[in-house]
Amino acid sequence: MSKEYDTVLLAALLHDVGKFYQKGTPGGCVVDNRGKHPEVSCRFVDCFAGLFAPYADMKLLKELVKRHHENERAFDKEFLAQYAPEEIKPLAYLISAADSLSSSERDA
């Protein structure tokens, strides 16, 4: 498998880890949990880069984790998929779709 594919899988899994971190600090790495959850998720990925780097493109992973929302007024452009750099925009939309699907069970 390609590193890009593995990166997209990790981003889909980790995009909301910031929400988890905001509710408490698990051991291993202290992450600043202030700010919007995409920003905290990005800090988490950065903190555990040693675990993810062998499998993922870290720059891409952090960008995808950070940009998993669309058209939401609560987030600045730096957190929105539609403002991602053109070369990763399709992947950002893919992670946004994963976020929508994973949160849809709460609407039921």
Side-chain angles (χ1 to χ4, degrees):
M1 290 193 211
S2 76
K3 204 168 206 176
E4 181 179 77
Y5 178 81
D6 290 345
T7 301
V8 171
L9 291 178
L10 276 170
L13 290 171
L14 297 172
H15 70 273
D16 274 343
V17 74
K19 288 181 182 181
F20 171 75
Y21 242 86
Q22 286 176 325
K23 292 178 170 61
T25 304
C29 190
V30 177
V31 175
D32 179 1
N33 65 3
R34 292 173 291 170
K36 303 279 186 187
H37 75 272
E39 189 175 14
V40 178
S41 296
C42 190
R43 284 190 215 120
F44 172 89
V45 167
D46 214 20
C47 191
F48 288 96
L51 293 173
F52 304 128
Y55 310 101
D57 174 330
M58 291 306 299
K59 182 178 177 187
L60 177 60
L61 179 60
K62 290 189 321 187
E63 199 64 29
L64 294 176
V65 164
K66 185 170 69 171
R67 294 183 179 274
H68 70 271
H69 286 279
E70 295 176 53
N71 303 316
E72 293 191 34
R73 293 184 185 146
F75 296 101
D76 293 334
K77 290 179 178 182
E78 70 179 295
F79 299 109
L80 298 175
Q82 64 266 33
Y83 295 103
E86 288 300 318
E87 63 273 10
I88 68 161
K89 194 177 284 189
L91 299 176
Y93 280 122
L94 185 62
I95 302 308
S96 178
D99 179 54
S100 294
L101 289 171
S102 69
S103 65
S104 66
E105 96 288 345
R106 287 180 264 163
D107 297 335

